[in-house]
Amino acid sequence: MVSERAADVSPFLAMDVLERANDTDDVIHLEVGEPDFDPPERVVETAVESLRAGNTDYTAARGKPELRRAIAAHYDRTYGVDVDPGRVVVTPGSSPGLLLAMAALVDPGDEVVLTDPHYACYPNFVRVVGGTVRTVPLRPADGFRPRASAFADAMGPDTRALLCNSPANPTGAVMDGDTLSALVDLAAEADATPVVDEVYHGLSYDAEEHTVLEYTDDAVVLDGFSKRFAMTGWRLGWMVVPPGLVDAVNRLAQNLFICAPNFVQDAGVAALETPPERLDAIRETYRERRDLLVDAVADWGLDPGYTPQGAYYLLADVSDLPGDAFDVADLFLEEAGVAVTPGADFGDQAAAYLRFSYATDADAIREAISRLDDLLATVER
Ligand SMILES: Cc1ncc(COP(=O)(O)O)c(C=O)c1O
């Protein structure tokens, strides 16, 4: 008998589309958020050296001290923020960090406020710990950036956490410092904790990035190596937690995960030493791909009304095409061999959109654009 909580967890549509797309010949994959770059060579060498040196046993649940120090130093270098390594907990990816955050903060019946659109998995993390989701609708006219006042409207006496993501999946919106700071104030007044997923930091094109840690120590930050270092399958991430939550998160991590893989943690130290020029070059490549798709989507008359500023996603408004976004995604896959994700995965406000991921090379994106040029020329509106 499946538990009610498990029954309540919705499938991750992008993964369903991937499964179907993999059964179809000659498909261009614009549905998954998986970087096509290799991790820096030094990262691979360090992992191999560490593995050969026999670093295959458990580590402390909160992670190896050298990695926690390297993560703390990253905050000083990147944002000028002093983070005590004692507040850093290393996790096997940012997803386990999200589970630890929810388990540490939310009791059954408590509420978590998050944006709509949002990362597809967020509501499921809340539900799995017995929490209730409240959403803040975002508008294309605001570039899908949340307003603090909208969070205030959605909060109530049972609100325990405000969950945000910047740069955001699926919109590519980047939150500014004033909004983050206002959310910190709102949370403090309501005795709630801001939980900010910064996993796409390092991938912003026209906007300055701020960590919520510039404004408070009383926030949970989720971050990891998957996106900016292209290390998705390595399963390595981290959390920075408020001083009062360190013990609870550590106890949960000990019980639920034991630790992140030992030799992968050494590779994480090497990743954080990647020369900034290399990361800048990758970011420029993403920017070029974004610009290609932004222009194409406008040419197709599917302009979402904003320009995504970060991550590697953009939404296309398909409300003028026949059928709903699921039908249009099917049409793109079946008639053009282009896989994209229906927006419904990311909340009601995204239901009329398709999400394009540009974590794939520019030639494939150009080919997808050319196929969709041909297909859309034949579709009556
Ligand atoms: C917003 C967001 N957070 C977290 C994750 C999960 O990343 P990780 O590989 O670190 O678990 C993803 C993956 O797509 C994501 O888009």
Side-chain angles (χ1 to χ4, degrees):
M1 187 68 180
V2 169
S3 71
E4 276 177 39
R5 279 179 191 171
D8 218 17
V9 168
S10 43
F12 192 0
L13 282 182
M15 301 316 275
D16 280 359
V17 176
L18 176 66
E19 213 173 303
R20 278 188 51 215
N22 282 341
D23 289 339
T24 315
D25 287 339
D26 188 25
V27 168
I28 301 173
H29 291 275
L30 303 184
E31 79 281 39
V32 277
E34 179 118 35
D36 60 316
F37 293 98
D38 290 328
E41 192 49 38
R42 186 69 210 120
V43 175
V44 178
E45 281 161 11
T46 305
V48 171
E49 283 160 18
S50 179
L51 192 54
R52 290 230 161 88
N55 292 320
T56 54
D57 37 7
Y58 294 140
T59 71
R62 65 181 90 218
K64 291 175 113 167
E66 48 279 32
L67 177 55
R68 291 165 52 230
R69 279 197 301 271
I71 291 166
H74 159 77
Y75 284 95
D76 185 24
R77 205 171 49 239
T78 313
Y79 313 98
V81 175
D82 189 19
V83 170
D84 175 359
R87 290 171 52 212
V88 176
V89 177
V90 174
T91 51
S94 64
S95 308
L98 199 48
L99 181 61
L100 292 174
M102 292 300 116
L105 292 169
V106 178
D107 278 318
D110 286 346
E111 288 173 358
V112 176
V113 179
L114 48 90
T115 62
D116 178 0
H118 49 69
Y119 172 47
C121 305
Y122 285 160
N124 294 324
F125 280 99
V126 177
R127 288 188 203 119
V128 102
V129 298
T132 304
V133 171
R134 279 190 175 254
T135 54
V136 172
L138 303 179
R139 296 185 305 203
D142 293 332
F144 284 111
R145 281 184 297 272
R147 295 177 185 208
S149 57
F151 267 88
D153 293 344
M155 290 166 69
D158 295 325
T159 301
R160 288 290 159 267
L162 312 182
L163 175 55
C164 318
N165 171 216
S166 172
N169 176 5
T171 61
V174 178
M175 287 169 74
D176 60 36
D178 287 347
T179 308
L180 278 169
S181 157
L183 284 180
V184 163
D185 293 344
L186 268 180
E189 280 161 30
D191 223 4
T193 304
V195 178
V196 186
D197 178 346
E198 301 184 352
V199 78
Y200 290 101
H201 266 230
L203 299 177
S204 290
Y205 314 113
D206 319 308
E208 214 177 301
E209 285 174 346
H210 293 277
T211 172
V212 71
L213 300 175
E214 290 169 46
Y215 311 101
T216 185
D217 285 346
D218 285 324
V220 173
V221 164
L222 307 165
D223 207 332
F225 295 81
S226 288
K227 309 296 177 176
R228 55 166 121 28
F229 298 113
M231 290 170 64
T232 44
W234 296 60
R235 307 315 302 137
L236 190 64
W238 72 82
M239 312 168 72
V240 181
V241 300
L245 217 61
V246 171
D247 184 48
V249 168
N250 189 43
R251 274 185 286 115
L252 285 162
Q254 288 170 337
N255 281 277
L256 297 181
F257 303 114
I258 300 196
C259 64
N262 188 332
F263 58 96
V264 174
Q265 295 189 46
D266 291 339
V269 175
L272 290 167
E273 288 165 359
T274 306
E277 310 78 64
R278 180 181 167 128
L279 299 175
D280 290 348
I282 291 175
R283 193 175 51 230
E284 273 315 298
T285 311
Y286 281 124
R287 181 206 297 273
E288 285 159 23
R289 298 171 181 182
R290 177 201 63 171
D291 292 346
L292 278 174
L293 269 174
V294 164
D295 289 348
V297 164
D299 287 347
W300 298 327
L302 309 181
D303 195 334
Y306 77 105
T307 303
Q309 297 175 303
Y312 37 61
Y313 306 104
L314 106 158
L315 294 177
D317 180 350
V318 291
S319 49
D320 281 348
L321 295 180
D324 63 16
F326 286 95
D327 298 326
V328 180
D330 281 347
L331 182 78
F332 283 12
L333 181 61
E334 280 156 23
E335 301 299 324
V338 175
V340 294
T341 308
D345 220 7
F346 310 100
D348 293 346
Q349 300 296 321
Y353 297 83
L354 294 177
R355 187 192 73 171
F356 285 69
S357 160
Y358 47 92
T360 192
D361 68 89
D363 285 345
I365 292 174
R366 282 195 195 91
E367 171 63 19
I369 291 172
S370 144
R371 292 183 189 186
L372 292 177
D373 279 346
D374 293 345
L375 175 65
L376 286 166
T378 67
V379 174
E380 300 248 345
R381 308 214 175 180

